[in-house]
Amino acid sequence: MKKKILAVVVVLAAFVGLFASQPVQKQSIQAAKTTKTAKKTTKKAKTKQIRVTYTLKDTTKAKNKQTLAKKTFKVKKGTSVFTVLKKAWKVNYTKSSYGVFITKIKGLGNEKKKLYWTYTVDGKMAKVAADKQKLTKNKSKVVFTLKKY
């Protein structure tokens, strides 16, 4: 009889222990979810704004680079050069598998006369189309230059 009582007590203790641990596990899962949500919010807050200055230059009419326009913007880090350009001025372009090809900015540019737009970011010539180039550095300087080829 003592063995049966002891067996029942052990089974009950195990049963109680099993159910008692369940809410603790749920609480730690909930705490983990809350921590993940807080980390995501922090990451979103770190997606900061950067300052970018755009300049339009024309080298086709004078020996010196003539500055046509200059504007500064605050944009999200990772925004494309092209997105900001379209916000600043009227832009004509064509699309290809390589990206956009800018034909005119502010009505300037002429394929027949071989006048084309090129651009640099922080003094370095772009290696990709403007819609593929992302802005990542604060106080970047983007210069679009109209040239004859």
Side-chain angles (χ1 to χ4, degrees), residues 3-141:
K3 287 184 181 180
K4 285 184 180 180
I5 292 174
L6 183 60
V8 170
V9 169
V10 169
V11 169
L12 282 174
F15 210 63
V16 169
L18 179 66
F19 284 109
S21 67
Q22 282 294 7
V24 173
Q25 288 175 348
K26 285 183 182 177
Q27 287 174 351
S28 37
I29 290 170
Q30 185 61 35
K33 286 180 182 177
T34 304
T35 303
K36 283 182 183 178
T37 303
K39 284 182 182 178
K40 284 181 183 177
T41 304
T42 305
K43 282 184 181 179
K44 285 181 183 176
K46 286 184 180 179
T47 306
K48 62 181 181 177
Q49 299 275 317
I50 59 173
R51 231 175 155 67
V52 183
T53 301
Y54 275 63
T55 305
L56 298 181
K57 292 187 176 187
D58 183 353
T59 61
T60 62
K61 295 182 182 177
K63 289 184 181 181
N64 297 331
K65 293 181 180 180
Q66 179 184 1
T67 299
L68 302 172
K70 191 173 193 174
K71 292 184 180 182
T72 301
F73 301 91
K74 272 190 171 184
V75 298
K76 284 184 187 177
K77 188 175 185 176
T79 302
S80 78
V81 166
F82 185 64
T83 299
V84 181
L85 180 68
K86 287 191 312 182
K87 288 181 184 178
W89 297 286
K90 183 179 185 319
V91 179
N92 294 27
Y93 60 94
T94 57
K95 290 183 179 181
S96 75
S97 59
Y98 298 107
V100 297
F101 178 73
I102 297 165
T103 55
K104 291 184 181 182
I105 302 174
K106 288 181 64 172
L108 299 171
N110 189 330
E111 290 182 67
K112 290 179 184 176
K113 292 184 180 180
K114 297 185 180 183
L115 299 176
Y116 298 102
W117 287 97
T118 62
Y119 77 97
T120 61
V121 178
D122 296 324
K124 295 178 183 173
M125 184 62 78
K127 294 180 182 178
V128 295
D131 61 327
K132 307 286 185 201
Q133 180 70 47
K134 303 298 180 194
L135 297 165
T136 58
K137 187 178 155 193
N138 192 31
K139 297 183 181 177
S140 282
K141 291 181 170 76

